[in-house]
Amino acid sequence: MKTRRPIRRGLAPRGLAVAAATAVLVGGLAVAPAAFAAPAADTCRGVSTVGLYCGYHTGTKWAELGSTGAHVKEIQALINETTRHPQASGARLAVDGIFGPDTKAAVTWFQWYYIGESASDGIVGPQTWGELRYGKR
C-alpha cells in the first residue's frame, strides 16, 4: 500500500510561482510589472522595449508648450534624471505634467546640447524622444 503525502495548503508556494512567472527582466534584474505602474521617485531605468523609462509614459507622444499629461511628466523626469540640465541650470524641473515655459526652456537646452542647434525648437517629436530614450549621456 502506498503512503500518501499530506497535501500542502497555503499560498506561499503558489504566490512565489505567480510572482516568478510574471516578473520582467530589466537590465539583468527581475522586476515585477507593478514596479512599472508606479511613478519612479528619482530614477529612470532602461527597459528593452522602451529605452530609458521613468515610470510615467512608455510612448512617444508629441509635446509642446501647453501640452499636459503623463508624457510630459516622462519628458520632465528624463531631463531631470538622465541629463546635465539640473547642473547646467541650477534647478530641477517640476515633474508636474505641464509643458510650461520652464519645460520648454529645458527641452530647447536638451535639443541644443544633445542633438544640435538646428534641432532646438522646444518641441518633443520623434527625434527628441529618440535622444531622450536612447541617446548618449
Side-chain angles (χ1 to χ4, degrees):
M1 185 161 145
K2 291 185 179 180
T3 327
R4 290 189 175 183
R5 288 192 269 170
I7 298 172
R8 291 180 58 189
R9 299 194 192 269
L11 297 176
R14 182 188 210 172
L16 291 175
V18 170
T22 60
V24 177
L25 189 62
V26 177
L29 300 173
V31 179
F36 294 122
D42 286 322
T43 178
C44 299
R45 295 177 176 85
V47 176
S48 63
T49 58
V50 176
L52 290 174
Y53 172 66
C54 298
Y56 299 101
H57 181 74
T58 58
T60 57
K61 186 176 176 183
W62 184 274
E64 61 187 333
L65 190 62
S67 297
T68 60
H71 66 298
V72 176
K73 283 184 177 184
E74 184 74 13
I75 293 164
Q76 293 165 332
L78 283 165
I79 289 174
N80 279 344
E81 301 300 327
T82 66
T83 73
R84 298 173 190 233
H85 180 265
Q87 296 88 0
S89 68
R92 296 170 59 85
L93 285 173
V95 181
D96 57 6
I98 300 169
F99 200 118
D102 290 342
T103 302
K104 181 177 180 174
V107 167
T108 303
W109 172 88
F110 172 84
Q111 293 167 325
W112 172 83
Y113 190 87
Y114 289 97
I115 303 172
E117 188 174 348
S118 64
S120 59
D121 59 4
I123 298 170
V124 181
Q127 183 180 18
T128 303
W129 272 114
E131 284 298 314
L132 283 166
R133 297 274 194 210
Y134 300 102
K136 297 177 183 173
R137 301 290 179 261

PDB file of all heavy atoms in Angstrom, residues 91-131:
ATOM      1  N   ALA A  91      18.754  74.152 -11.354  1.00  0.00           N
ATOM      2  CA  ALA A  91      17.439  73.761 -10.820  1.00  0.00           C
ATOM      3  C   ALA A  91      16.897  72.564 -11.573  1.00  0.00           C
ATOM      4  O   ALA A  91      17.186  72.377 -12.747  1.00  0.00           O
ATOM      5  CB  ALA A  91      16.460  74.925 -10.937  1.00  0.00           C
ATOM      6  N   ARG A  92      16.100  71.783 -10.861  1.00  0.00           N
ATOM      7  CA  ARG A  92      15.417  70.648 -11.480  1.00  0.00           C
ATOM      8  C   ARG A  92      14.038  71.102 -11.958  1.00  0.00           C
ATOM      9  O   ARG A  92      13.452  72.013 -11.384  1.00  0.00           O
ATOM     10  CB  ARG A  92      15.264  69.510 -10.465  1.00  0.00           C
ATOM     11  CG  ARG A  92      16.591  68.942 -10.000  1.00  0.00           C
ATOM     12  CD  ARG A  92      16.432  67.994  -8.817  1.00  0.00           C
ATOM     13  NE  ARG A  92      15.578  66.867  -9.073  1.00  0.00           N
ATOM     14  CZ  ARG A  92      15.975  65.719  -9.640  1.00  0.00           C
ATOM     15  NH1 ARG A  92      17.227  65.581  -9.997  1.00  0.00           N
ATOM     16  NH2 ARG A  92      15.134  64.731  -9.827  1.00  0.00           N
ATOM     17  N   LEU A  93      13.556  70.444 -12.996  1.00  0.00           N
ATOM     18  CA  LEU A  93      12.202  70.715 -13.462  1.00  0.00           C
ATOM     19  C   LEU A  93      11.190  70.138 -12.481  1.00  0.00           C
ATOM     20  O   LEU A  93      11.422  69.074 -11.910  1.00  0.00           O
ATOM     21  CB  LEU A  93      11.957  70.045 -14.817  1.00  0.00           C
ATOM     22  CG  LEU A  93      12.582  70.676 -16.036  1.00  0.00           C
ATOM     23  CD1 LEU A  93      12.379  69.768 -17.239  1.00  0.00           C
ATOM     24  CD2 LEU A  93      11.970  72.029 -16.303  1.00  0.00           C
ATOM     25  N   ALA A  94      10.078  70.805 -12.330  1.00  0.00           N
ATOM     26  CA  ALA A  94       8.969  70.227 -11.567  1.00  0.00           C
ATOM     27  C   ALA A  94       8.345  69.155 -12.449  1.00  0.00           C
ATOM     28  O   ALA A  94       8.031  69.412 -13.610  1.00  0.00           O
ATOM     29  CB  ALA A  94       7.941  71.297 -11.239  1.00  0.00           C
ATOM     30  N   VAL A  95       8.202  67.952 -11.921  1.00  0.00           N
ATOM     31  CA  VAL A  95       7.579  66.859 -12.675  1.00  0.00           C
ATOM     32  C   VAL A  95       6.084  66.925 -12.381  1.00  0.00           C
ATOM     33  O   VAL A  95       5.548  66.192 -11.562  1.00  0.00           O
ATOM     34  CB  VAL A  95       8.206  65.496 -12.304  1.00  0.00           C
ATOM     35  CG1 VAL A  95       7.568  64.373 -13.117  1.00  0.00           C
ATOM     36  CG2 VAL A  95       9.707  65.525 -12.534  1.00  0.00           C
ATOM     37  N   ASP A  96       5.414  67.860 -13.084  1.00  0.00           N
ATOM     38  CA  ASP A  96       4.002  68.129 -12.823  1.00  0.00           C
ATOM     39  C   ASP A  96       3.096  67.824 -14.015  1.00  0.00           C
ATOM     40  O   ASP A  96       1.883  67.956 -13.929  1.00  0.00           O
ATOM     41  CB  ASP A  96       3.810  69.583 -12.385  1.00  0.00           C
ATOM     42  CG  ASP A  96       4.335  70.587 -13.410  1.00  0.00           C
ATOM     43  OD1 ASP A  96       4.750  70.181 -14.522  1.00  0.00           O
ATOM     44  OD2 ASP A  96       4.327  71.792 -13.093  1.00  0.00           O
ATOM     45  N   GLY A  97       3.683  67.437 -15.146  1.00  0.00           N
ATOM     46  CA  GLY A  97       2.880  67.098 -16.313  1.00  0.00           C
ATOM     47  C   GLY A  97       2.378  68.297 -17.093  1.00  0.00           C
ATOM     48  O   GLY A  97       1.517  68.157 -17.950  1.00  0.00           O
ATOM     49  N   ILE A  98       2.918  69.485 -16.819  1.00  0.00           N
ATOM     50  CA  ILE A  98       2.510  70.693 -17.531  1.00  0.00           C
ATOM     51  C   ILE A  98       3.707  71.217 -18.319  1.00  0.00           C
ATOM     52  O   ILE A  98       4.749  71.546 -17.750  1.00  0.00           O
ATOM     53  CB  ILE A  98       2.015  71.777 -16.547  1.00  0.00           C
ATOM     54  CG1 ILE A  98       0.822  71.247 -15.757  1.00  0.00           C
ATOM     55  CG2 ILE A  98       1.670  73.057 -17.286  1.00  0.00           C
ATOM     56  CD1 ILE A  98       0.427  72.117 -14.576  1.00  0.00           C
ATOM     57  N   PHE A  99       3.574  71.281 -19.637  1.00  0.00           N
ATOM     58  CA  PHE A  99       4.643  71.746 -20.518  1.00  0.00           C
ATOM     59  C   PHE A  99       4.561  73.271 -20.566  1.00  0.00           C
ATOM     60  O   PHE A  99       3.956  73.865 -21.457  1.00  0.00           O
ATOM     61  CB  PHE A  99       4.470  71.146 -21.915  1.00  0.00           C
ATOM     62  CG  PHE A  99       5.710  71.154 -22.761  1.00  0.00           C
ATOM     63  CD1 PHE A  99       6.259  69.973 -23.189  1.00  0.00           C
ATOM     64  CD2 PHE A  99       6.316  72.343 -23.140  1.00  0.00           C
ATOM     65  CE1 PHE A  99       7.392  69.954 -23.988  1.00  0.00           C
ATOM     66  CE2 PHE A  99       7.450  72.353 -23.937  1.00  0.00           C
ATOM     67  CZ  PHE A  99       7.992  71.150 -24.363  1.00  0.00           C
ATOM     68  N   GLY A 100       5.159  73.896 -19.564  1.00  0.00           N
ATOM     69  CA  GLY A 100       5.167  75.345 -19.466  1.00  0.00           C
ATOM     70  C   GLY A 100       6.492  75.916 -19.953  1.00  0.00           C
ATOM     71  O   GLY A 100       7.317  75.220 -20.562  1.00  0.00           O
ATOM     72  N   PRO A 101       6.733  77.188 -19.659  1.00  0.00           N
ATOM     73  CA  PRO A 101       7.955  77.855 -20.119  1.00  0.00           C
ATOM     74  C   PRO A 101       9.248  77.204 -19.600  1.00  0.00           C
ATOM     75  O   PRO A 101      10.238  77.133 -20.336  1.00  0.00           O
ATOM     76  CB  PRO A 101       7.819  79.287 -19.579  1.00  0.00           C
ATOM     77  CG  PRO A 101       6.375  79.462 -19.297  1.00  0.00           C
ATOM     78  CD  PRO A 101       5.817  78.119 -19.004  1.00  0.00           C
ATOM     79  N   ASP A 102       9.248  76.732 -18.356  1.00  0.00           N
ATOM     80  CA  ASP A 102      10.454  76.088 -17.816  1.00  0.00           C
ATOM     81  C   ASP A 102      10.754  74.779 -18.546  1.00  0.00           C
ATOM     82  O   ASP A 102      11.911  74.490 -18.863  1.00  0.00           O
ATOM     83  CB  ASP A 102      10.305  75.813 -16.320  1.00  0.00           C
ATOM     84  CG  ASP A 102      10.312  77.082 -15.489  1.00  0.00           C
ATOM     85  OD1 ASP A 102      10.765  78.133 -15.996  1.00  0.00           O
ATOM     86  OD2 ASP A 102       9.872  77.019 -14.327  1.00  0.00           O
ATOM     87  N   THR A 103       9.707  74.004 -18.813  1.00  0.00           N
ATOM     88  CA  THR A 103       9.907  72.749 -19.538  1.00  0.00           C
ATOM     89  C   THR A 103      10.343  73.034 -20.964  1.00  0.00           C
ATOM     90  O   THR A 103      11.244  72.376 -21.487  1.00  0.00           O
ATOM     91  CB  THR A 103       8.624  71.895 -19.519  1.00  0.00           C
ATOM     92  OG1 THR A 103       8.270  71.644 -18.158  1.00  0.00           O
ATOM     93  CG2 THR A 103       8.816  70.577 -20.248  1.00  0.00           C
ATOM     94  N   LYS A 104       9.753  74.041 -21.614  1.00  0.00           N
ATOM     95  CA  LYS A 104      10.164  74.389 -22.976  1.00  0.00           C
ATOM     96  C   LYS A 104      11.625  74.805 -22.999  1.00  0.00           C
ATOM     97  O   LYS A 104      12.384  74.390 -23.884  1.00  0.00           O
ATOM     98  CB  LYS A 104       9.292  75.494 -23.557  1.00  0.00           C
ATOM     99  CG  LYS A 104       9.707  75.827 -24.980  1.00  0.00           C
ATOM    100  CD  LYS A 104       8.857  76.859 -25.646  1.00  0.00           C
ATOM    101  CE  LYS A 104       9.410  77.071 -27.054  1.00  0.00           C
ATOM    102  NZ  LYS A 104       8.605  77.938 -27.852  1.00  0.00           N
ATOM    103  N   ALA A 105      12.042  75.600 -22.025  1.00  0.00           N
ATOM    104  CA  ALA A 105      13.450  76.024 -21.961  1.00  0.00           C
ATOM    105  C   ALA A 105      14.364  74.811 -21.760  1.00  0.00           C
ATOM    106  O   ALA A 105      15.428  74.720 -22.379  1.00  0.00           O
ATOM    107  CB  ALA A 105      13.646  77.045 -20.843  1.00  0.00           C
ATOM    108  N   ALA A 106      13.946  73.869 -20.918  1.00  0.00           N
ATOM    109  CA  ALA A 106      14.756  72.676 -20.673  1.00  0.00           C
ATOM    110  C   ALA A 106      14.824  71.792 -21.917  1.00  0.00           C
ATOM    111  O   ALA A 106      15.886  71.251 -22.244  1.00  0.00           O
ATOM    112  CB  ALA A 106      14.183  71.885 -19.498  1.00  0.00           C
ATOM    113  N   VAL A 107      13.711  71.645 -22.628  1.00  0.00           N
ATOM    114  CA  VAL A 107      13.698  70.852 -23.856  1.00  0.00           C
ATOM    115  C   VAL A 107      14.574  71.511 -24.915  1.00  0.00           C
ATOM    116  O   VAL A 107      15.357  70.840 -25.594  1.00  0.00           O
ATOM    117  CB  VAL A 107      12.247  70.646 -24.372  1.00  0.00           C
ATOM    118  CG1 VAL A 107      12.233  70.110 -25.791  1.00  0.00           C
ATOM    119  CG2 VAL A 107      11.485  69.715 -23.442  1.00  0.00           C
ATOM    120  N   THR A 108      14.467  72.820 -25.048  1.00  0.00           N
ATOM    121  CA  THR A 108      15.298  73.549 -26.012  1.00  0.00           C
ATOM    122  C   THR A 108      16.768  73.373 -25.671  1.00  0.00           C
ATOM    123  O   THR A 108      17.596  73.125 -26.554  1.00  0.00           O
ATOM    124  CB  THR A 108      14.920  75.045 -26.028  1.00  0.00           C
ATOM    125  OG1 THR A 108      13.525  75.157 -26.342  1.00  0.00           O
ATOM    126  CG2 THR A 108      15.730  75.817 -27.051  1.00  0.00           C
ATOM    127  N   TRP A 109      17.126  73.478 -24.394  1.00  0.00           N
ATOM    128  CA  TRP A 109      18.508  73.255 -23.964  1.00  0.00           C
ATOM    129  C   TRP A 109      18.935  71.829 -24.300  1.00  0.00           C
ATOM    130  O   TRP A 109      20.018  71.612 -24.833  1.00  0.00           O
ATOM    131  CB  TRP A 109      18.641  73.491 -22.454  1.00  0.00           C
ATOM    132  CG  TRP A 109      19.978  73.080 -21.946  1.00  0.00           C
ATOM    133  CD1 TRP A 109      21.104  73.852 -21.893  1.00  0.00           C
ATOM    134  CD2 TRP A 109      20.355  71.788 -21.451  1.00  0.00           C
ATOM    135  NE1 TRP A 109      22.155  73.115 -21.396  1.00  0.00           N
ATOM    136  CE2 TRP A 109      21.717  71.840 -21.120  1.00  0.00           C
ATOM    137  CE3 TRP A 109      19.675  70.599 -21.268  1.00  0.00           C
ATOM    138  CZ2 TRP A 109      22.405  70.745 -20.608  1.00  0.00           C
ATOM    139  CZ3 TRP A 109      20.354  69.508 -20.760  1.00  0.00           C
ATOM    140  CH2 TRP A 109      21.707  69.594 -20.440  1.00  0.00           C
ATOM    141  N   PHE A 110      18.076  70.845 -23.981  1.00  0.00           N
ATOM    142  CA  PHE A 110      18.389  69.446 -24.249  1.00  0.00           C
ATOM    143  C   PHE A 110      18.668  69.240 -25.734  1.00  0.00           C
ATOM    144  O   PHE A 110      19.646  68.593 -26.115  1.00  0.00           O
ATOM    145  CB  PHE A 110      17.228  68.544 -23.805  1.00  0.00           C
ATOM    146  CG  PHE A 110      17.391  67.110 -24.226  1.00  0.00           C
ATOM    147  CD1 PHE A 110      18.140  66.241 -23.469  1.00  0.00           C
ATOM    148  CD2 PHE A 110      16.820  66.648 -25.406  1.00  0.00           C
ATOM    149  CE1 PHE A 110      18.320  64.915 -23.865  1.00  0.00           C
ATOM    150  CE2 PHE A 110      16.990  65.333 -25.808  1.00  0.00           C
ATOM    151  CZ  PHE A 110      17.749  64.473 -25.037  1.00  0.00           C
ATOM    152  N   GLN A 111      17.792  69.775 -26.567  1.00  0.00           N
ATOM    153  CA  GLN A 111      17.967  69.608 -28.010  1.00  0.00           C
ATOM    154  C   GLN A 111      19.278  70.249 -28.476  1.00  0.00           C
ATOM    155  O   GLN A 111      20.013  69.657 -29.267  1.00  0.00           O
ATOM    156  CB  GLN A 111      16.774  70.211 -28.757  1.00  0.00           C
ATOM    157  CG  GLN A 111      15.485  69.454 -28.520  1.00  0.00           C
ATOM    158  CD  GLN A 111      14.263  70.210 -28.990  1.00  0.00           C
ATOM    159  OE1 GLN A 111      14.197  71.443 -28.902  1.00  0.00           O
ATOM    160  NE2 GLN A 111      13.268  69.476 -29.480  1.00  0.00           N
ATOM    161  N   TRP A 112      19.561  71.442 -28.018  1.00  0.00           N
ATOM    162  CA  TRP A 112      20.793  72.126 -28.399  1.00  0.00           C
ATOM    163  C   TRP A 112      22.018  71.344 -27.928  1.00  0.00           C
ATOM    164  O   TRP A 112      22.952  71.130 -28.687  1.00  0.00           O
ATOM    165  CB  TRP A 112      20.795  73.537 -27.805  1.00  0.00           C
ATOM    166  CG  TRP A 112      22.085  74.254 -27.981  1.00  0.00           C
ATOM    167  CD1 TRP A 112      22.507  74.942 -29.082  1.00  0.00           C
ATOM    168  CD2 TRP A 112      23.149  74.349 -27.026  1.00  0.00           C
ATOM    169  NE1 TRP A 112      23.762  75.452 -28.867  1.00  0.00           N
ATOM    170  CE2 TRP A 112      24.186  75.100 -27.610  1.00  0.00           C
ATOM    171  CE3 TRP A 112      23.326  73.855 -25.741  1.00  0.00           C
ATOM    172  CZ2 TRP A 112      25.376  75.380 -26.950  1.00  0.00           C
ATOM    173  CZ3 TRP A 112      24.504  74.135 -25.086  1.00  0.00           C
ATOM    174  CH2 TRP A 112      25.511  74.887 -25.691  1.00  0.00           C
ATOM    175  N   TYR A 113      21.992  70.891 -26.672  1.00  0.00           N
ATOM    176  CA  TYR A 113      23.146  70.234 -26.062  1.00  0.00           C
ATOM    177  C   TYR A 113      23.381  68.831 -26.616  1.00  0.00           C
ATOM    178  O   TYR A 113      24.513  68.434 -26.866  1.00  0.00           O
ATOM    179  CB  TYR A 113      22.953  70.176 -24.540  1.00  0.00           C
ATOM    180  CG  TYR A 113      24.174  69.748 -23.767  1.00  0.00           C
ATOM    181  CD1 TYR A 113      25.116  70.688 -23.365  1.00  0.00           C
ATOM    182  CD2 TYR A 113      24.385  68.421 -23.424  1.00  0.00           C
ATOM    183  CE1 TYR A 113      26.241  70.308 -22.648  1.00  0.00           C
ATOM    184  CE2 TYR A 113      25.498  68.026 -22.705  1.00  0.00           C
ATOM    185  CZ  TYR A 113      26.425  68.978 -22.322  1.00  0.00           C
ATOM    186  OH  TYR A 113      27.541  68.600 -21.612  1.00  0.00           O
ATOM    187  N   TYR A 114      22.315  68.047 -26.795  1.00  0.00           N
ATOM    188  CA  TYR A 114      22.457  66.642 -27.159  1.00  0.00           C
ATOM    189  C   TYR A 114      22.236  66.342 -28.648  1.00  0.00           C
ATOM    190  O   TYR A 114      22.710  65.328 -29.141  1.00  0.00           O
ATOM    191  CB  TYR A 114      21.514  65.763 -26.330  1.00  0.00           C
ATOM    192  CG  TYR A 114      21.946  65.666 -24.893  1.00  0.00           C
ATOM    193  CD1 TYR A 114      21.382  66.479 -23.926  1.00  0.00           C
ATOM    194  CD2 TYR A 114      22.940  64.780 -24.492  1.00  0.00           C
ATOM    195  CE1 TYR A 114      21.783  66.400 -22.594  1.00  0.00           C
ATOM    196  CE2 TYR A 114      23.344  64.693 -23.175  1.00  0.00           C
ATOM    197  CZ  TYR A 114      22.766  65.509 -22.233  1.00  0.00           C
ATOM    198  OH  TYR A 114      23.167  65.436 -20.927  1.00  0.00           O
ATOM    199  N   ILE A 115      21.474  67.161 -29.350  1.00  0.00           N
ATOM    200  CA  ILE A 115      21.173  66.869 -30.757  1.00  0.00           C
ATOM    201  C   ILE A 115      21.903  67.835 -31.682  1.00  0.00           C
ATOM    202  O   ILE A 115      22.520  67.440 -32.651  1.00  0.00           O
ATOM    203  CB  ILE A 115      19.650  66.919 -31.022  1.00  0.00           C
ATOM    204  CG1 ILE A 115      18.911  65.938 -30.107  1.00  0.00           C
ATOM    205  CG2 ILE A 115      19.356  66.606 -32.486  1.00  0.00           C
ATOM    206  CD1 ILE A 115      17.392  66.070 -30.160  1.00  0.00           C
ATOM    207  N   GLY A 116      21.797  69.111 -31.384  1.00  0.00           N
ATOM    208  CA  GLY A 116      22.428  70.130 -32.217  1.00  0.00           C
ATOM    209  C   GLY A 116      21.562  71.365 -32.289  1.00  0.00           C
ATOM    210  O   GLY A 116      20.343  71.298 -32.108  1.00  0.00           O
ATOM    211  N   GLU A 117      22.185  72.484 -32.561  1.00  0.00           N
ATOM    212  CA  GLU A 117      21.486  73.767 -32.553  1.00  0.00           C
ATOM    213  C   GLU A 117      20.296  73.797 -33.515  1.00  0.00           C
ATOM    214  O   GLU A 117      19.253  74.367 -33.203  1.00  0.00           O
ATOM    215  CB  GLU A 117      22.466  74.879 -32.917  1.00  0.00           C
ATOM    216  CG  GLU A 117      21.902  76.259 -32.757  1.00  0.00           C
ATOM    217  CD  GLU A 117      22.928  77.343 -32.995  1.00  0.00           C
ATOM    218  OE1 GLU A 117      24.128  77.049 -33.067  1.00  0.00           O
ATOM    219  OE2 GLU A 117      22.507  78.507 -33.107  1.00  0.00           O
ATOM    220  N   SER A 118      20.424  73.160 -34.663  1.00  0.00           N
ATOM    221  CA  SER A 118      19.342  73.195 -35.648  1.00  0.00           C
ATOM    222  C   SER A 118      18.086  72.456 -35.170  1.00  0.00           C
ATOM    223  O   SER A 118      16.997  72.681 -35.698  1.00  0.00           O
ATOM    224  CB  SER A 118      19.810  72.593 -36.976  1.00  0.00           C
ATOM    225  OG  SER A 118      20.131  71.229 -36.809  1.00  0.00           O
ATOM    226  N   ALA A 119      18.216  71.594 -34.184  1.00  0.00           N
ATOM    227  CA  ALA A 119      17.078  70.832 -33.678  1.00  0.00           C
ATOM    228  C   ALA A 119      16.411  71.490 -32.478  1.00  0.00           C
ATOM    229  O   ALA A 119      15.407  70.982 -31.982  1.00  0.00           O
ATOM    230  CB  ALA A 119      17.532  69.426 -33.289  1.00  0.00           C
ATOM    231  N   SER A 120      16.927  72.596 -31.999  1.00  0.00           N
ATOM    232  CA  SER A 120      16.413  73.171 -30.744  1.00  0.00           C
ATOM    233  C   SER A 120      15.208  74.080 -30.997  1.00  0.00           C
ATOM    234  O   SER A 120      15.319  75.292 -31.057  1.00  0.00           O
ATOM    235  CB  SER A 120      17.519  73.906 -29.988  1.00  0.00           C
ATOM    236  OG  SER A 120      18.055  74.940 -30.770  1.00  0.00           O
ATOM    237  N   ASP A 121      14.033  73.444 -31.109  1.00  0.00           N
ATOM    238  CA  ASP A 121      12.795  74.187 -31.317  1.00  0.00           C
ATOM    239  C   ASP A 121      11.849  74.119 -30.117  1.00  0.00           C
ATOM    240  O   ASP A 121      10.793  74.735 -30.117  1.00  0.00           O
ATOM    241  CB  ASP A 121      12.083  73.685 -32.571  1.00  0.00           C
ATOM    242  CG  ASP A 121      11.722  72.209 -32.517  1.00  0.00           C
ATOM    243  OD1 ASP A 121      11.960  71.563 -31.471  1.00  0.00           O
ATOM    244  OD2 ASP A 121      11.207  71.693 -33.528  1.00  0.00           O
ATOM    245  N   GLY A 122      12.210  73.356 -29.079  1.00  0.00           N
ATOM    246  CA  GLY A 122      11.380  73.263 -27.880  1.00  0.00           C
ATOM    247  C   GLY A 122      10.178  72.354 -28.026  1.00  0.00           C
ATOM    248  O   GLY A 122       9.302  72.342 -27.170  1.00  0.00           O
ATOM    249  N   ILE A 123      10.118  71.575 -29.110  1.00  0.00           N
ATOM    250  CA  ILE A 123       9.020  70.645 -29.348  1.00  0.00           C
ATOM    251  C   ILE A 123       9.567  69.224 -29.271  1.00  0.00           C
ATOM    252  O   ILE A 123      10.601  68.926 -29.861  1.00  0.00           O
ATOM    253  CB  ILE A 123       8.377  70.890 -30.728  1.00  0.00           C
ATOM    254  CG1 ILE A 123       7.781  72.302 -30.772  1.00  0.00           C
ATOM    255  CG2 ILE A 123       7.325  69.840 -31.033  1.00  0.00           C
ATOM    256  CD1 ILE A 123       7.336  72.735 -32.156  1.00  0.00           C
ATOM    257  N   VAL A 124       8.868  68.360 -28.541  1.00  0.00           N
ATOM    258  CA  VAL A 124       9.318  66.978 -28.402  1.00  0.00           C
ATOM    259  C   VAL A 124       8.566  66.118 -29.419  1.00  0.00           C
ATOM    260  O   VAL A 124       7.403  65.787 -29.239  1.00  0.00           O
ATOM    261  CB  VAL A 124       9.103  66.443 -26.971  1.00  0.00           C
ATOM    262  CG1 VAL A 124       9.597  65.004 -26.856  1.00  0.00           C
ATOM    263  CG2 VAL A 124       9.813  67.331 -25.964  1.00  0.00           C
ATOM    264  N   GLY A 125       9.279  65.800 -30.495  1.00  0.00           N
ATOM    265  CA  GLY A 125       8.762  64.926 -31.547  1.00  0.00           C
ATOM    266  C   GLY A 125       9.603  63.662 -31.587  1.00  0.00           C
ATOM    267  O   GLY A 125      10.338  63.356 -30.635  1.00  0.00           O
ATOM    268  N   PRO A 126       9.554  62.920 -32.689  1.00  0.00           N
ATOM    269  CA  PRO A 126      10.265  61.642 -32.788  1.00  0.00           C
ATOM    270  C   PRO A 126      11.775  61.728 -32.552  1.00  0.00           C
ATOM    271  O   PRO A 126      12.341  60.879 -31.862  1.00  0.00           O
ATOM    272  CB  PRO A 126       9.972  61.169 -34.215  1.00  0.00           C
ATOM    273  CG  PRO A 126       8.745  61.897 -34.623  1.00  0.00           C
ATOM    274  CD  PRO A 126       8.749  63.186 -33.875  1.00  0.00           C
ATOM    275  N   GLN A 127      12.431  62.736 -33.106  1.00  0.00           N
ATOM    276  CA  GLN A 127      13.886  62.844 -32.940  1.00  0.00           C
ATOM    277  C   GLN A 127      14.261  63.119 -31.485  1.00  0.00           C
ATOM    278  O   GLN A 127      15.179  62.503 -30.942  1.00  0.00           O
ATOM    279  CB  GLN A 127      14.447  63.947 -33.842  1.00  0.00           C
ATOM    280  CG  GLN A 127      15.955  64.057 -33.759  1.00  0.00           C
ATOM    281  CD  GLN A 127      16.520  65.163 -34.656  1.00  0.00           C
ATOM    282  OE1 GLN A 127      15.790  66.054 -35.083  1.00  0.00           O
ATOM    283  NE2 GLN A 127      17.809  65.098 -34.917  1.00  0.00           N
ATOM    284  N   THR A 128      13.538  64.010 -30.838  1.00  0.00           N
ATOM    285  CA  THR A 128      13.838  64.335 -29.441  1.00  0.00           C
ATOM    286  C   THR A 128      13.523  63.144 -28.537  1.00  0.00           C
ATOM    287  O   THR A 128      14.301  62.828 -27.630  1.00  0.00           O
ATOM    288  CB  THR A 128      13.066  65.592 -28.999  1.00  0.00           C
ATOM    289  OG1 THR A 128      13.411  66.665 -29.888  1.00  0.00           O
ATOM    290  CG2 THR A 128      13.422  65.985 -27.572  1.00  0.00           C
ATOM    291  N   TRP A 129      12.390  62.463 -28.779  1.00  0.00           N
ATOM    292  CA  TRP A 129      12.088  61.259 -27.986  1.00  0.00           C
ATOM    293  C   TRP A 129      13.198  60.229 -28.144  1.00  0.00           C
ATOM    294  O   TRP A 129      13.609  59.589 -27.171  1.00  0.00           O
ATOM    295  CB  TRP A 129      10.752  60.634 -28.407  1.00  0.00           C
ATOM    296  CG  TRP A 129       9.563  61.185 -27.680  1.00  0.00           C
ATOM    297  CD1 TRP A 129       8.554  61.918 -28.221  1.00  0.00           C
ATOM    298  CD2 TRP A 129       9.251  61.058 -26.292  1.00  0.00           C
ATOM    299  NE1 TRP A 129       7.629  62.244 -27.248  1.00  0.00           N
ATOM    300  CE2 TRP A 129       8.037  61.725 -26.052  1.00  0.00           C
ATOM    301  CE3 TRP A 129       9.884  60.433 -25.214  1.00  0.00           C
ATOM    302  CZ2 TRP A 129       7.439  61.792 -24.799  1.00  0.00           C
ATOM    303  CZ3 TRP A 129       9.289  60.501 -23.951  1.00  0.00           C
ATOM    304  CH2 TRP A 129       8.084  61.173 -23.763  1.00  0.00           C
ATOM    305  N   GLY A 130      13.672  60.055 -29.369  1.00  0.00           N
ATOM    306  CA  GLY A 130      14.754  59.099 -29.606  1.00  0.00           C
ATOM    307  C   GLY A 130      15.986  59.425 -28.792  1.00  0.00           C
ATOM    308  O   GLY A 130      16.611  58.540 -28.192  1.00  0.00           O
ATOM    309  N   GLU A 131      16.352  60.682 -28.738  1.00  0.00           N
ATOM    310  CA  GLU A 131      17.508  61.089 -27.941  1.00  0.00           C
ATOM    311  C   GLU A 131      17.237  60.969 -26.441  1.00  0.00           C
ATOM    312  O   GLU A 131      18.113  60.584 -25.681  1.00  0.00           O
ATOM    313  CB  GLU A 131      17.936  62.516 -28.282  1.00  0.00           C
ATOM    314  CG  GLU A 131      18.679  62.633 -29.581  1.00  0.00           C
ATOM    315  CD  GLU A 131      19.992  61.846 -29.577  1.00  0.00           C
ATOM    316  OE1 GLU A 131      20.759  61.926 -28.599  1.00  0.00           O
ATOM    317  OE2 GLU A 131      20.237  61.156 -30.575  1.00  0.00           O
TER     318      GLU A 131
END
